[in-house]
Amino acid sequence: MRGRFLTLEGGEGAGKTTLIKTLKDWLSGQGIDVVVTREPGGTPGAEVLRDILLNGSTDRWSPVTEALLMYAARVDHVERLIEPALARGAWVISDRFSDSTRAYQGVAGGVSADRIQKIHAAALGGFYPDLTLILDLDPKVGLARTVARGEDATRFERFDTSFHDRLRQAFLDIAAEDPDRCQVLDALDAPDLVAEKAIAAIETRLGAPA
Ligand code: Z5A
């Protein structure tokens, strides 16, 4: 049986990585083959593109170039890792996927949703996640969490406050436009509660893992 493709989206520090660990343990505990991955990245070629996308000055790429590079990485990721895993019956959990292009390159660079949709269709046809969990959080809280973690800021974390506010709204708009695929979770909740709600959403929308 084909596996399931689950993606996590949201602003910086929303808790995607933390939630993914719990979801992996939950699924593995039920004997499910789980593949955890991330974007941009996930395959050797896509990780090379990640490096050039996340480092350097904020205006290193034109917005459309950035979207195309994200999709170049994504096609490699889907063809070489995600599709083969789904075909053998594994569940794939990706830390970010196509909604991040729509939110980040749409908000940061003004690439229209229509243009990104056309790039998606040309690159991946109708391939989308089975379920997307959107972790919604006040960007001030999310950025404070990443600062507390003590890592260097990526190009995107260096954008101003209004960018992060618009980004939050972009993810909420995506969820409102595609409610069958997207579930918004309050990321201000404690990690255990976020996980409990995420598991409930997975069981309700995708059925019990098997
Ligand atoms: N990008 C793009 O522009 N276009 C695209 O198409 C794609 C991506 C795919 C990837 O960054 C960047 O690429 C991203 C968008 C852009 N922008 N940035 N920056 P990344 O992979 O380096 O970072 P990230 O995706 O933003 O993730 P993150 O900063 O690592 O955050 P997170 O994974 O969501 O959070 P976390 O690591 O689980 O938690 C952060 C801290 O908060 C940590 O100390 C936790 O212990 C703590 N935490 C987690 N959950 C909670 C709760 N519930 N309460 C309290 N504290 C918590």
Side-chain angles (χ1 to χ4, degrees), residues 106-128:
V107 168
V111 185
S112 71
D114 179 58
R115 197 164 184 189
I116 290 174
Q117 163 57 30
K118 285 182 175 134
I119 295 172
H120 185 104
L124 292 177
F127 184 87
Y128 283 97

Side-chain angles (χ1 to χ4, degrees), residues 13 15-18 50 74 96 101 104-105 149 154 189:
K16 300 181 305 301
T17 312
T18 305
R50 177 185 177 92
R74 185 161 300 134
R96 300 193 181 280
T101 311
Y104 279 82
Q105 280 61 58
R149 210 170 40 187
T154 66
D189 287 337

Side-chain angles (χ1 to χ4, degrees), residues 10-19 38-40 50 54 66 70 74 95-102 104-105 135 142 145-146 149 151 154-157 187-191 194:
E12 280 93 85
K16 300 181 305 301
T17 312
T18 305
L19 177 58
R38 68 172 181 182
E39 286 211 348
R50 177 185 177 92
L54 298 197
E66 196 166 84
M70 291 291 177
R74 185 161 300 134
D95 189 337
R96 300 193 181 280
F97 193 67
S98 53
D99 296 314
S100 280
T101 311
R102 195 152 152 209
Y104 279 82
Q105 280 61 58
L135 296 187
R145 286 182 187 171
T146 63
R149 210 170 40 187
E151 290 165 10
T154 66
R155 289 175 59 231
F156 297 95
E157 282 161 334
L188 199 54
D189 287 337
V194 176

